[in-house]
Amino acid sequence: SNPYNIRTGSLLIAGKTLTVQQGTNCVFQLDRTTVSFPTIPGSGVLRPVIVTASGPLCNWTATTSDSWITIVSGGTYVSSATVRLSAAQNTTGAPRTGTVLIAGQTVTVTQ
């Protein structure tokens, strides 16, 4: 059983290398899949997303390609953790929607 991330090993058999890879049993659960910010968020307005990992060595990341969303607490994690998001002021005059990919799952951010 492998409760951690994918692991790889190798064997040398008759002068040839055999690489063996074992899949992972890591499962991630988010406490929310949507986050909302006011048009003019005050200084320090953060929205947490709690990630629960099924094992102590389950690696995951948090990323976004939306320039108005900031991942405040970092982007690479091991095991369970809280991702904190912030948003820049919305000067467009219209509601906007962006996304953050956390542990392979999409969180929709609206403002």
Side-chain angles (χ1 to χ4, degrees):
S1 177
N2 181 12
Y4 310 116
N5 277 359
I6 294 171
R7 57 187 172 189
T8 303
S10 60
L11 301 164
L12 187 59
I13 303 171
K16 303 244 181 196
T17 301
L18 171 68
T19 301
V20 179
Q21 187 176 65
Q22 183 181 24
T24 179
N25 290 329
C26 289
V27 177
F28 303 99
Q29 183 175 15
L30 307 184
D31 74 328
R32 67 184 70 204
T33 56
T34 60
V35 174
S36 180
F37 285 95
T39 302
I40 304 173
S43 176
V45 173
L46 303 175
R47 299 292 189 254
V49 178
I50 299 170
V51 181
T52 304
S54 62
L57 295 176
C58 293
N59 299 322
W60 53 276
T61 60
T63 60
T64 184
S65 59
D66 293 291
S67 61
W68 59 275
I69 302 170
T70 301
I71 299 167
V72 176
S73 54
T76 302
Y77 305 85
V78 178
S79 192
S80 300
T82 300
V83 178
R84 289 175 177 76
L85 306 174
S86 68
Q89 180 176 341
N90 185 352
T91 58
T92 67
R96 61 184 173 182
T97 302
T99 58
V100 179
L101 189 63
I102 300 176
Q105 300 174 51
T106 301
V107 174
T108 301
V109 180
T110 58
Q111 185 181 41

mmCIF file of all heavy atoms in Angstrom, residues 62-71 85-86 98-102 107 109:
data_model
loop_
_atom_site.group_PDB
_atom_site.id
_atom_site.type_symbol
_atom_site.label_atom_id
_atom_site.label_comp_id
_atom_site.label_asym_id
_atom_site.label_seq_id
_atom_site.Cartn_x
_atom_site.Cartn_y
_atom_site.Cartn_z
ATOM 1 N N ALA A 62 -0.997 24.958 -5.368
ATOM 2 C CA ALA A 62 -2.076 25.913 -5.593
ATOM 3 C C ALA A 62 -1.560 26.928 -6.604
ATOM 4 O O ALA A 62 -0.490 27.515 -6.396
ATOM 5 C CB ALA A 62 -2.483 26.598 -4.297
ATOM 6 N N THR A 63 -2.290 27.109 -7.708
ATOM 7 C CA THR A 63 -1.860 28.029 -8.763
ATOM 8 C C THR A 63 -3.056 28.787 -9.320
ATOM 9 O O THR A 63 -4.194 28.328 -9.234
ATOM 10 C CB THR A 63 -1.173 27.284 -9.935
ATOM 11 O OG1 THR A 63 -2.107 26.349 -10.500
ATOM 12 C CG2 THR A 63 0.076 26.546 -9.480
ATOM 13 N N THR A 64 -2.775 29.930 -9.907
ATOM 14 C CA THR A 64 -3.793 30.690 -10.634
ATOM 15 C C THR A 64 -3.121 31.432 -11.782
ATOM 16 O O THR A 64 -1.952 31.811 -11.684
ATOM 17 C CB THR A 64 -4.540 31.690 -9.728
ATOM 18 O OG1 THR A 64 -5.570 32.322 -10.504
ATOM 19 C CG2 THR A 64 -3.617 32.754 -9.157
ATOM 20 N N SER A 65 -3.860 31.617 -12.862
ATOM 21 C CA SER A 65 -3.346 32.422 -13.970
ATOM 22 C C SER A 65 -4.053 33.774 -14.028
ATOM 23 O O SER A 65 -3.808 34.564 -14.935
ATOM 24 C CB SER A 65 -3.524 31.677 -15.301
ATOM 25 O OG SER A 65 -4.886 31.398 -15.510
ATOM 26 N N ASP A 66 -4.916 34.043 -13.047
ATOM 27 C CA ASP A 66 -5.620 35.332 -12.985
ATOM 28 C C ASP A 66 -4.785 36.318 -12.180
ATOM 29 O O ASP A 66 -4.540 36.111 -10.986
ATOM 30 C CB ASP A 66 -7.000 35.152 -12.349
ATOM 31 C CG ASP A 66 -7.921 34.335 -13.233
ATOM 32 O OD1 ASP A 66 -8.312 34.837 -14.290
ATOM 33 O OD2 ASP A 66 -8.227 33.178 -12.861
ATOM 34 N N SER A 67 -4.368 37.402 -12.820
ATOM 35 C CA SER A 67 -3.445 38.347 -12.192
ATOM 36 C C SER A 67 -4.042 39.085 -10.999
ATOM 37 O O SER A 67 -3.304 39.584 -10.149
ATOM 38 C CB SER A 67 -2.953 39.362 -13.223
ATOM 39 O OG SER A 67 -4.043 40.103 -13.740
ATOM 40 N N TRP A 68 -5.356 39.145 -10.886
ATOM 41 C CA TRP A 68 -5.983 39.866 -9.783
ATOM 42 C C TRP A 68 -6.165 39.007 -8.530
ATOM 43 O O TRP A 68 -6.541 39.515 -7.470
ATOM 44 C CB TRP A 68 -7.317 40.471 -10.235
ATOM 45 C CG TRP A 68 -8.329 39.488 -10.752
ATOM 46 C CD1 TRP A 68 -8.422 39.007 -12.023
ATOM 47 C CD2 TRP A 68 -9.382 38.880 -10.017
ATOM 48 N NE1 TRP A 68 -9.475 38.130 -12.113
ATOM 49 C CE2 TRP A 68 -10.094 38.040 -10.897
ATOM 50 C CE3 TRP A 68 -9.821 38.968 -8.695
ATOM 51 C CZ2 TRP A 68 -11.190 37.293 -10.511
ATOM 52 C CZ3 TRP A 68 -10.923 38.224 -8.301
ATOM 53 C CH2 TRP A 68 -11.591 37.395 -9.206
ATOM 54 N N ILE A 69 -5.871 37.722 -8.631
ATOM 55 C CA ILE A 69 -5.957 36.810 -7.492
ATOM 56 C C ILE A 69 -4.542 36.503 -7.014
ATOM 57 O O ILE A 69 -3.659 36.202 -7.820
ATOM 58 C CB ILE A 69 -6.663 35.492 -7.875
ATOM 59 C CG1 ILE A 69 -8.071 35.776 -8.408
ATOM 60 C CG2 ILE A 69 -6.702 34.534 -6.684
ATOM 61 C CD1 ILE A 69 -8.733 34.550 -9.026
ATOM 62 N N THR A 70 -4.345 36.553 -5.695
ATOM 63 C CA THR A 70 -3.042 36.238 -5.121
ATOM 64 C C THR A 70 -3.172 35.078 -4.147
ATOM 65 O O THR A 70 -4.080 35.067 -3.310
ATOM 66 C CB THR A 70 -2.457 37.456 -4.368
ATOM 67 O OG1 THR A 70 -2.330 38.535 -5.292
ATOM 68 C CG2 THR A 70 -1.104 37.140 -3.759
ATOM 69 N N ILE A 71 -2.274 34.117 -4.278
ATOM 70 C CA ILE A 71 -2.168 33.028 -3.312
ATOM 71 C C ILE A 71 -1.182 33.524 -2.265
ATOM 72 O O ILE A 71 0.021 33.589 -2.505
ATOM 73 C CB ILE A 71 -1.699 31.727 -3.986
ATOM 74 C CG1 ILE A 71 -2.712 31.319 -5.058
ATOM 75 C CG2 ILE A 71 -1.487 30.626 -2.948
ATOM 76 C CD1 ILE A 71 -2.235 30.247 -5.993
ATOM 77 N N LEU A 85 -6.276 33.172 0.069
ATOM 78 C CA LEU A 85 -6.389 33.924 -1.182
ATOM 79 C C LEU A 85 -6.735 35.376 -0.888
ATOM 80 O O LEU A 85 -7.467 35.671 0.067
ATOM 81 C CB LEU A 85 -7.484 33.320 -2.064
ATOM 82 C CG LEU A 85 -7.372 31.827 -2.379
ATOM 83 C CD1 LEU A 85 -8.602 31.359 -3.142
ATOM 84 C CD2 LEU A 85 -6.106 31.547 -3.160
ATOM 85 N N SER A 86 -6.231 36.268 -1.723
ATOM 86 C CA SER A 86 -6.640 37.671 -1.671
ATOM 87 C C SER A 86 -6.945 38.121 -3.096
ATOM 88 O O SER A 86 -6.588 37.443 -4.065
ATOM 89 C CB SER A 86 -5.548 38.547 -1.043
ATOM 90 O OG SER A 86 -4.424 38.622 -1.886
ATOM 91 N N GLY A 98 -12.668 34.309 -11.671
ATOM 92 C CA GLY A 98 -11.372 33.695 -11.938
ATOM 93 C C GLY A 98 -11.333 32.326 -11.287
ATOM 94 O O GLY A 98 -12.293 31.899 -10.646
ATOM 95 N N THR A 99 -10.214 31.647 -11.440
ATOM 96 C CA THR A 99 -10.087 30.320 -10.847
ATOM 97 C C THR A 99 -8.717 30.134 -10.202
ATOM 98 O O THR A 99 -7.733 30.764 -10.595
ATOM 99 C CB THR A 99 -10.283 29.197 -11.890
ATOM 100 O OG1 THR A 99 -9.325 29.360 -12.926
ATOM 101 C CG2 THR A 99 -11.689 29.213 -12.464
ATOM 102 N N VAL A 100 -8.700 29.250 -9.220
ATOM 103 C CA VAL A 100 -7.472 28.801 -8.577
ATOM 104 C C VAL A 100 -7.521 27.280 -8.615
ATOM 105 O O VAL A 100 -8.553 26.682 -8.292
ATOM 106 C CB VAL A 100 -7.369 29.301 -7.123
ATOM 107 C CG1 VAL A 100 -6.088 28.811 -6.466
ATOM 108 C CG2 VAL A 100 -7.448 30.825 -7.069
ATOM 109 N N LEU A 101 -6.430 26.666 -9.023
ATOM 110 C CA LEU A 101 -6.338 25.214 -9.038
ATOM 111 C C LEU A 101 -5.615 24.796 -7.762
ATOM 112 O O LEU A 101 -4.439 25.127 -7.566
ATOM 113 C CB LEU A 101 -5.587 24.732 -10.274
ATOM 114 C CG LEU A 101 -5.610 23.232 -10.520
ATOM 115 C CD1 LEU A 101 -7.042 22.742 -10.774
ATOM 116 C CD2 LEU A 101 -4.724 22.875 -11.695
ATOM 117 N N ILE A 102 -6.347 24.100 -6.886
ATOM 118 C CA ILE A 102 -5.806 23.674 -5.594
ATOM 119 C C ILE A 102 -5.894 22.161 -5.504
ATOM 120 O O ILE A 102 -6.989 21.598 -5.590
ATOM 121 C CB ILE A 102 -6.576 24.331 -4.420
ATOM 122 C CG1 ILE A 102 -6.485 25.851 -4.504
ATOM 123 C CG2 ILE A 102 -6.053 23.800 -3.085
ATOM 124 C CD1 ILE A 102 -7.287 26.585 -3.452
ATOM 125 N N VAL A 107 -11.203 25.961 -7.798
ATOM 126 C CA VAL A 107 -11.941 26.848 -6.900
ATOM 127 C C VAL A 107 -12.286 28.084 -7.718
ATOM 128 O O VAL A 107 -11.405 28.727 -8.299
ATOM 129 C CB VAL A 107 -11.107 27.219 -5.667
ATOM 130 C CG1 VAL A 107 -11.836 28.251 -4.812
ATOM 131 C CG2 VAL A 107 -10.769 25.981 -4.850
ATOM 132 N N VAL A 109 -13.408 31.894 -8.084
ATOM 133 C CA VAL A 109 -13.299 33.135 -7.311
ATOM 134 C C VAL A 109 -14.120 34.192 -8.030
ATOM 135 O O VAL A 109 -13.921 34.432 -9.217
ATOM 136 C CB VAL A 109 -11.834 33.586 -7.175
ATOM 137 C CG1 VAL A 109 -11.741 34.871 -6.367
ATOM 138 C CG2 VAL A 109 -10.980 32.486 -6.558
#
